[in-house]
Amino acid sequence: MADTTTRHVFQEELQALEDRTLEGLDVVVSTLDRTLEAVQQQDIELASLVIADDDRLDGRYLEVHQGVLSLLARQAPVATDLRLVAAILHVIRHVERMGDQCVNICKLLPLEGHEPPRHEEMLGKISQMGKQARVQIIQAKQAFCRRDPALAEDLCRQDDVIDVLNREVFYLALDIGDDVEMREWAMHMMLVARALERMGDIAVDIGEQVAFVVTGLFREFTDASHPELELR
């Protein structure tokens, strides 16, 4: 009876850690929304708030990480649960990294001043990238909640959209003209696009953890060293 009770408590604690981790993805979506607004409006004050608020995600990471270590110290999870424990540690780290990408974007805005140049086509593509990253983060959470490898693997297809837009931003920056201030602004926007592209990649990484939890085998959905083997 004691073993049954202990097992039940373990499952409850593990579920609570998973919930806290996946709630972190909701925080990331909210942070991304504010980051995109700051970029589009060139709002330095809002960017500063995003940077200051990153402590929430850092605190969430530490909370889950310590919770997992405490759980492992008190319990000996079986193979299936151990996979979930490992996946939770990976996902919460990814959550923290996505928050850092938003911070990286917001730290660029004060460098441009209060009245920086604008290039509407470039800003439009960055907005599309942000919206696509948002979709992928939400889908990654759904895939994890549902333990749905097919939904997780579909993130690769979704991520292609961000990759194409990222290249388009790069080419727009190359053709931006000779104005020094405009070129400097365009370089900053290239870094913004790169950060959003990384967030898409991280969503795919979370999808890979879904497949690991379900199958017990870790594999990358895409392989940069063997592109002909990429799964689509």
Side-chain angles (χ1 to χ4, degrees):
M1 185 67 174
D3 288 345
T4 302
T5 302
T6 300
R7 179 70 182 165
H8 180 70
V9 171
F10 170 80
Q11 290 292 336
E12 285 187 340
E13 291 186 22
L14 185 57
Q15 183 62 55
L17 287 169
E18 180 180 344
D19 291 344
R20 290 294 287 166
T21 298
L22 296 181
E23 287 166 5
L25 291 172
D26 295 331
V27 177
V28 168
V29 169
S30 175
T31 301
L32 177 58
D33 287 343
R34 292 190 296 157
T35 299
L36 293 171
E37 181 181 350
V39 171
Q40 293 298 320
Q41 302 300 323
Q42 304 291 293
D43 190 331
I44 296 176
E45 287 73 21
L46 180 56
S48 298
L49 291 175
V50 171
I51 294 169
D53 208 31
D54 189 53
D55 288 344
R56 280 201 302 161
L57 285 173
D58 291 341
R60 180 72 59 103
Y61 169 75
L62 292 173
E63 174 195 340
V64 172
H65 191 270
Q66 291 301 317
V68 167
L69 293 181
S70 175
L71 193 61
L72 289 174
R74 291 180 285 107
Q75 304 286 347
V78 297
T80 303
D81 291 334
L82 193 57
R83 292 204 299 267
L84 179 55
V85 167
I88 286 172
L89 283 174
H90 277 89
V91 173
I92 195 61
R93 177 59 177 154
H94 291 325
V95 167
E96 193 264 346
R97 287 171 63 204
M98 285 194 281
D100 287 346
Q101 293 296 339
C102 290
V103 168
N104 291 341
I105 291 171
C106 288
K107 284 182 176 178
L108 290 168
L109 299 188
L111 302 178
E112 300 160 7
H114 284 274
E115 295 184 3
R118 289 181 69 89
H119 188 287
E120 295 303 332
E121 185 178 0
M122 185 177 291
L123 286 172
K125 290 186 182 299
I126 286 172
S127 177
Q128 291 177 56
M129 289 183 72
K131 290 175 182 177
Q132 182 62 32
R134 189 183 197 277
V135 167
Q136 288 178 225
I137 295 166
I138 293 171
Q139 183 168 321
K141 178 186 176 182
Q142 291 173 341
F144 203 101
C145 287
R146 300 174 188 174
R147 303 293 193 267
D148 189 336
L151 188 62
E153 197 163 315
D154 179 67
L155 289 164
C156 290
R157 179 186 61 81
Q158 300 271 3
D159 197 48
D160 287 343
V161 177
I162 290 185
D163 292 341
V164 170
L165 287 166
N166 186 44
R167 287 193 294 271
E168 291 175 354
V169 169
F170 173 76
Y171 290 124
L172 283 173
L174 289 182
D175 296 334
I176 205 71
D178 296 326
D179 182 80
V180 174
E181 288 188 5
M182 178 63 82
R183 290 186 69 83
E184 183 177 359
W185 177 84
M187 294 305 104
H188 290 161
M189 291 303 104
M190 281 176 55
L191 294 175
V192 168
R194 174 58 179 159
L196 293 172
E197 189 265 344
R198 284 298 302 133
M199 292 184 76
D201 288 345
I202 293 170
V204 174
D205 290 341
I206 293 174
E208 291 171 351
Q209 292 301 314
V210 174
F212 171 65
V213 170
V214 173
T215 68
L217 299 173
F218 179 79
R219 62 183 177 86
E220 293 185 349
F221 289 160
T222 60
D223 187 345
S225 61
H226 298 91
E228 73 278 4
L229 299 180
E230 288 187 3
L231 299 173
R232 289 290 183 262

